[in-house]
Amino acid sequence: PKMKEDNCLHAALICLGMLYYSHALGTEKLSHFRPSLHGHHEKGKEGQVLHRSKRGWVWNQFFVIEEYTGPDPVLVGRLHSDIDSGDGNIKYILSGEGAGIIFVIDDKSGNIHATKTLDREERAQYTLTAQAVDRNTNRPLEPPSEFIVKVQDINDNPPEFLHENYHANVPERSNVGTSVIQVTASDADDPTYGNSAKLVYSILEGQPYFSVEAQTGIIRTALPNMDREAKEEYHVVIQAKDMGGHMGGLSGTTKVTITLTDVNDNPPKFPQSVYQMSVSEAAVPGEEVGRVKAKDPDIGENGLVAYSIIDGDGMDMFEITTDYETQEGVVKLKKTLDYETKKSYSLKVEAANVHIDPKFISNGPFKDTVTVKIAVEDADEPPVFLKPSYIFEVQENAASGTVVGKVHAKDPDAANSAIRYSIDRHTDLERYFVINAEDGNIKTIKALDREEIAWHNISIFAVEVHKQHQEAKVPVAIKVIDVNDNAPKFAAAYEAFVCENARSNQQFITISADDKDDSANGPRFIFSLPPEITHNPNFTLRDNRDNTASVLVRREGFSRQKQDLYLLPIVISDGGLPPLSSTNTLTVRVCGCDGGGSLLSCNAEAYVLNAGLSTGALIAILACIVILLVIVVLFVTLKRQKKEPLIVFEEEDVRENIITYDDEGGGEEDTEAFDIATLQNPDGINGFIPRKDIKPEYQYMPRPGLRPAPNSVDVDDFINTRIQEADNDPTAPPYDSIQIYGYEGRGSVAGSLSSLESATTDSDLDYDYLQNWGPRFKKLADLYGSKDTFDDDS
């Protein structure tokens, strides 16, 4: 019964669908095929009469509901021809898309069935071709004709969003209704049929902050003044439902993450009204004192804060910079502090936003101020001199103990410790000065010479009495004031020349002077002749009043034969108070000159020789003397070489060239190598016996009675004498190099290492085991085996 009800329901649905579409399409959807015998005429373009056959087919445009899951194939429709009389002679054939696979036809009745479940979203319609043929002959009775089977849509696809998750941003404090993002869903069902694809959007999560437009899917803000600093991120769930949102429709959802972006709606704010800081007075400018920070909940450039000092008694002593990484204001020392002068400072620091949004200017002011109090801490400072440097003056040649000047330093600390002074001896190596350790008075130890050192640059130390590590250093420059203690002298070692034919009042040299004293005690120089020779008959002096003087000839005619050298004393005075003077001697030589005044010769002896011998003759005489001396030296040398003896004298060291060593030495008892006496009697030798293989360091005195033989003409006597001297002199060469050792010593504790007599002496060792070592050791076994075995073998 249930199956019959399903079939009836299915048939009813098919009928309702066919009636609905038939009514919608009108009578144009019906076709009647008539045999071609009946027709009417139509004129063509060229007047030709056309005959249109009436179709004999009667069918509709068929519809099939998708996703049908009934037990029997669903009836799509029925094909019928007017020529079909029902006798079964007509056969219906179906071809085209899905024919025979999806759609099958009853060739007798023309009923078309769908054998498979259809999906409109996969394919919406099929085009088929139907034809009626004679069953017996298969001859077509009607021309083939096409018809369409449409798959009728049902709501079997839910809406789907383009993305599973959406991300969107919207500025905080946005007005209500500000668009955030649009989400879009699609439905695979037929949008032209019913409401299967008509979507409606709604918000499931995210109220009351956001809303969504039902038709467009645009998400908008729903609350005013949403604050990012309170909540930055929101999670919204949007639903899309088909069937216009009515009950029974299918739906799909998506998640939207909405982030509020920051705007500068919060001014910076200091968390406290006063900051306390401290800094040592020993801190150097640029050193960090402390940090302040104004909190701004905004982020990025909206949270940037700049710091500045706007007031306070420490504006000149401190400065503030901004650390943009930590958003802190860094207070730094600008100038050196002095605890004894001022012990605390106050600053008024302002923090202001760098970027301000005009939309929120009413929330301002976007800045804040705070008071910073800085305490200066006392530091143990070194002594401080009242001046950065000192310059003193003292006269040269001043007596020892003369006061040069005084330096003064004090302890800047509140304790005001006592100060002791000393001189850095690296700056006063010659120890010209001394300083009083208590009061700082500098005195001389010995006289100063300005001409040696004009300025003395020394350094003075000041050290606290109770804190030796605290010291200060100050430079002291001492100028040595000049005293006129140096008389002027010739500027150079002058030597003047005057011609024999010089004219009266002729100038022949100009002299100048030099003074080691300062310019105040030096020039101008005054030149004069001593009073006793003011009226010198030969020369006169003229002061040029420009620190030079000219020497002139007083008379005419000088002779080298009479006098060729004159010494002229000249007095030079300086301009000091009191003035100093010195007498300098000018050497004047008389020379021979030509008519133009050019010097020819200043040698008086040469002038005398000119009357006898010429210069060439003198050179020739000297050359002959040298040659004679060379000949004499050669003759003496050859004479001495002929008198040399042909034999070797006792001074010469003659040694053997071929040395043969054919002994083994003295053994272990030989402690004096090559000493024959020790080898012969090692226990009875006392005293020193010189070794003869080296040259003695000292010589024995020759024995009395042996005198060196004179150089005799008889060579035989000479040789015999020398042999006798050599035999009796232990230190005479040649020294013995070949020694004879007739003593081997008492023996060694190690015993003999020789094995030459092993075979003839009894041995404690047993070599019988050699018999067991095989044929390779047979020879050794025969040599070292037991005596019994040896006898047996023999």
Side-chain angles (χ1 to χ4, degrees):
K2 187 175 181 181
M3 185 176 295
K4 290 181 179 180
E5 291 177 2
D6 292 337
N7 292 335
C8 292
L9 179 61
H10 180 63
L13 290 173
I14 293 175
C15 292
L16 288 174
M18 293 179 68
L19 289 174
Y20 174 78
Y21 278 97
S22 296
H23 178 73
L25 297 174
T27 57
E28 290 181 1
K29 297 297 181 179
L30 299 177
S31 299
H32 300 278
F33 186 83
R34 302 282 183 185
S36 61
L37 295 176
H38 304 283
H40 65 276
H41 301 279
E42 290 183 355
K43 290 185 178 180
K45 293 181 180 180
E46 297 179 357
Q48 183 181 0
V49 178
L50 299 176
H51 298 278
R52 184 179 64 182
S53 299
K54 292 184 179 180
R55 289 188 175 185
W57 295 104
V58 178
W59 74 73
N60 296 322
Q61 186 174 12
F62 300 130
F63 295 88
V64 179
I65 297 176
E66 66 171 335
E67 305 295 344
Y68 173 73
T69 58
D72 299 327
V74 63
L75 179 63
V76 177
R78 182 181 181 185
L79 300 179
H80 184 71
S81 177
D82 291 344
I83 63 175
D84 186 4
S85 60
D87 54 2
N89 292 327
I90 296 178
K91 180 181 178 181
Y92 296 98
I93 299 174
L94 186 66
S95 62
E97 298 174 343
I101 301 174
I102 299 175
F103 304 101
V104 296
I105 189 171
D106 188 345
D107 60 353
K108 291 182 179 180
S109 64
N111 292 332
I112 302 174
H113 291 83
T115 62
K116 295 183 178 181
T117 301
L118 302 180
D119 187 1
R120 190 202 68 83
E121 287 70 39
E122 182 178 348
R123 187 156 189 172
Q125 66 181 19
Y126 296 87
T127 302
L128 299 172
T129 302
Q131 191 174 20
V133 298
D134 186 272
R135 184 177 295 276
N136 297 322
T137 63
N138 286 332
R139 182 176 61 83
L141 299 177
E142 294 290 343
S145 183
E146 291 183 352
F147 65 95
I148 296 174
V149 177
K150 287 191 175 183
V151 181
Q152 183 178 346
D153 181 50
I154 63 173
N155 189 18
D156 61 341
N157 290 280
E160 293 183 358
F161 284 91
L162 297 179
H163 302 284
E164 184 178 354
N165 293 289
Y166 288 85
H167 295 274
N169 299 323
V170 64
E172 63 174 332
R173 307 287 182 181
S174 296
N175 297 326
V176 175
T178 301
S179 175
V180 179
I181 191 175
Q182 183 179 14
V183 294
T184 304
S186 60
D187 197 319
D189 293 325
D190 189 359
T192 63
Y193 175 70
N195 295 326
S196 297
K198 185 177 181 180
L199 305 181
V200 175
Y201 298 94
S202 61
I203 184 169
L204 299 182
E205 296 181 15
Q207 299 97 339
Y209 306 105
F210 300 95
S211 63
V212 64
E213 292 183 358
Q215 304 302 324
T216 60
I218 297 175
I219 302 174
R220 298 181 184 275
T221 58
L223 281 182
N225 297 323
M226 285 191 292
D227 190 5
R228 184 200 67 83
E229 288 71 35
K231 186 176 182 180
E232 183 177 6
E233 192 173 80
Y234 296 85
H235 298 282
V236 178
V237 178
I238 303 297
Q239 182 190 64
K241 191 174 183 180
D242 58 13
M243 298 301 291
H246 293 94
M247 185 178 296
L250 303 178
S251 63
T253 59
T254 186
K255 293 181 180 180
V256 182
T257 302
I258 301 175
T259 303
L260 297 182
T261 57
D262 184 63
V263 297
N264 191 10
D265 58 338
N266 295 280
K269 186 70 176 176
F270 284 104
Q272 58 196 69
S273 59
V274 178
Y275 283 87
Q276 298 286 347
M277 299 179 184
S278 62
V279 60
S280 173
E281 65 173 334
V284 296
E287 187 172 334
E288 180 178 330
V289 178
R291 294 187 174 219
V292 297
K293 184 175 183 180
K295 295 183 178 180
D296 191 333
D298 297 322
I299 60 175
E301 67 175 12
N302 297 319
L304 294 179
V305 179
Y307 297 87
S308 60
I309 300 175
I310 59 175
D311 198 6
D313 58 359
M315 293 183 64
D316 296 334
M317 305 300 296
F318 301 92
E319 61 183 355
I320 190 168
T321 59
T322 302
D323 186 346
Y324 286 104
E325 292 185 1
T326 61
Q327 290 298 302
E328 293 177 320
V330 183
V331 180
K332 295 182 179 180
L333 184 62
K334 191 176 180 180
K335 295 181 180 179
T336 304
L337 300 173
D338 186 9
Y339 172 81
E340 289 71 27
T341 303
K342 189 172 177 60
K343 297 178 175 59
S344 65
Y345 294 89
S346 179
L347 302 174
K348 188 175 183 181
V349 177
E350 179 185 79
N353 279 138
V354 177
H355 302 283
I356 299 177
D357 193 340
K359 296 179 183 178
F360 305 99
I361 194 69
S362 59
N363 294 2
F366 286 85
K367 57 186 177 181
D368 193 17
T369 58
V370 70
T371 300
V372 178
K373 293 184 178 180
I374 303 174
V376 180
E377 297 178 347
D378 188 21
D380 188 9
E381 300 176 88
V384 177
F385 283 94
L386 299 184
K387 295 181 181 180
S389 62
Y390 291 86
I391 299 177
F392 299 128
E393 294 182 350
V394 62
Q395 285 190 343
E396 66 174 325
N397 302 325
S400 176
T402 302
V403 176
V404 177
K406 181 179 181 179
V407 297
H408 183 68
K410 67 175 183 177
D411 182 11
D413 298 324
N416 194 18
S417 301
I419 305 298
R420 295 186 65 85
Y421 303 93
S422 62
I423 297 177
D424 183 2
R425 288 305 173 185
H426 294 91
T427 60
D428 186 24
L429 296 175
E430 301 295 330
R431 294 184 177 271
Y432 287 104
F433 306 98
V434 68
I435 188 170
N436 189 304
E438 284 75 20
D439 59 13
N441 277 321
I442 303 174
K443 298 180 181 180
T444 60
I445 300 178
K446 53 186 177 181
L448 305 178
D449 187 1
R450 189 204 69 85
E451 288 71 41
E452 183 179 351
I453 302 176
W455 284 85
H456 293 267
N457 296 306
I458 64 175
S459 296
I460 304 298
F461 287 116
V463 182
E464 295 183 17
V465 174
H466 301 293
K467 298 176 182 178
Q468 298 294 328
H469 65 282
Q470 293 289 8
E471 68 176 14
K473 187 177 182 179
V474 68
V476 176
I478 301 174
K479 180 181 180 181
V480 181
I481 301 175
D482 183 50
V483 175
N484 191 18
D485 58 346
N486 289 278
K489 296 180 180 180
F490 278 158
Y494 294 108
E495 186 174 3
F497 302 92
V498 64
C499 295
E500 289 180 309
N501 56 356
R503 300 186 304 275
S504 178
N505 294 325
Q506 180 182 352
Q507 176 182 337
F508 60 90
I509 190 172
T510 300
I511 59 176
S512 62
D514 188 15
D515 195 329
K516 294 182 179 180
D517 291 324
D518 196 4
S519 58
N521 294 315
R524 107 167 165 82
F525 298 123
I526 300 174
F527 300 87
S528 63
L529 294 177
E532 61 272 13
I533 60 168
T534 303
H535 302 287
N536 188 294
N538 300 315
F539 307 101
T540 184
L541 183 70
R542 182 180 65 204
D543 193 336
N544 297 326
R545 299 183 179 276
D546 58 355
N547 296 325
T548 64
S550 299
V551 182
L552 298 89
V553 177
R554 179 183 290 273
R555 63 181 179 83
E556 294 183 357
F558 290 89
S559 175
R560 280 182 291 175
Q561 292 80 7
K562 293 181 179 180
Q563 186 174 352
D564 64 341
L565 183 67
Y566 294 89
L567 300 178
L568 178 65
I570 299 175
V571 178
I572 308 175
S573 301
D574 58 20
L577 292 175
L580 292 180
S581 62
S582 65
T583 301
N584 301 266
T585 301
L586 176 66
T587 301
V588 181
R589 291 185 178 277
V590 179
C591 301
C593 303
D594 57 11
S598 299
L599 296 178
L600 294 178
S601 175
C602 296
N603 194 329
E605 290 78 4
Y607 182 83
V608 175
L609 291 174
N610 285 337
L613 298 175
S614 64
T615 303
L618 291 174
I619 294 174
I621 293 172
L622 291 175
C624 293
I625 294 172
V626 171
I627 293 172
L628 290 175
L629 289 175
V630 171
I631 293 172
V632 171
V633 170
L634 291 176
F635 178 78
V636 172
T637 302
L638 293 175
K639 188 70 174 179
R640 289 183 178 179
Q641 289 181 354
K642 290 181 179 180
K643 292 183 179 182
E644 290 182 356
L646 299 177
I647 62 175
V648 178
F649 292 95
E650 60 182 358
E651 304 82 48
E652 296 183 2
D653 186 4
V654 180
R655 297 174 182 265
E656 294 288 344
N657 293 326
I658 300 176
I659 301 174
T660 303
Y661 299 94
D662 54 355
D663 57 82
E664 291 187 358
E668 292 181 354
E669 295 294 331
D670 185 12
T671 59
E672 295 290 339
F674 306 102
D675 191 348
I676 299 177
T678 301
L679 294 176
Q680 292 175 350
N681 187 9
D683 298 328
I685 294 299
N686 291 321
F688 174 78
I689 298 178
R691 295 174 59 158
K692 299 181 180 181
D693 58 336
I694 59 174
K695 185 176 181 179
E697 295 181 356
Y698 58 92
Q699 296 291 334
Y700 283 91
M701 293 301 294
R703 297 184 181 182
L706 294 177
R707 294 188 305 273
N711 293 330
S712 175
V713 179
D714 190 350
V715 177
D716 187 21
D717 294 342
F718 176 82
I719 292 175
N720 291 333
T721 302
R722 293 300 183 189
I723 291 174
Q724 184 179 4
E725 290 178 357
D727 291 340
N728 296 325
D729 187 358
T731 63
Y735 313 114
D736 291 338
S737 295
I738 301 176
Q739 304 293 344
I740 298 174
Y741 300 93
Y743 178 73
E744 286 191 355
R746 296 190 183 92
S748 173
V749 295
S752 176
L753 299 178
S754 175
S755 62
L756 296 177
E757 298 181 357
S758 298
T760 59
T761 60
D762 293 333
S763 176
D764 296 332
L765 296 178
D766 185 9
Y767 295 96
D768 292 339
Y769 58 89
L770 295 175
Q771 299 290 339
N772 302 325
W773 283 13
R776 292 187 179 181
F777 296 91
K778 185 176 184 302
K779 189 65 175 177
L780 289 175
D782 294 339
L783 293 175
Y784 294 94
S786 62
K787 184 176 181 181
D788 298 338
T789 305
F790 177 80
D791 294 340
D792 294 339
D793 292 339
S794 60

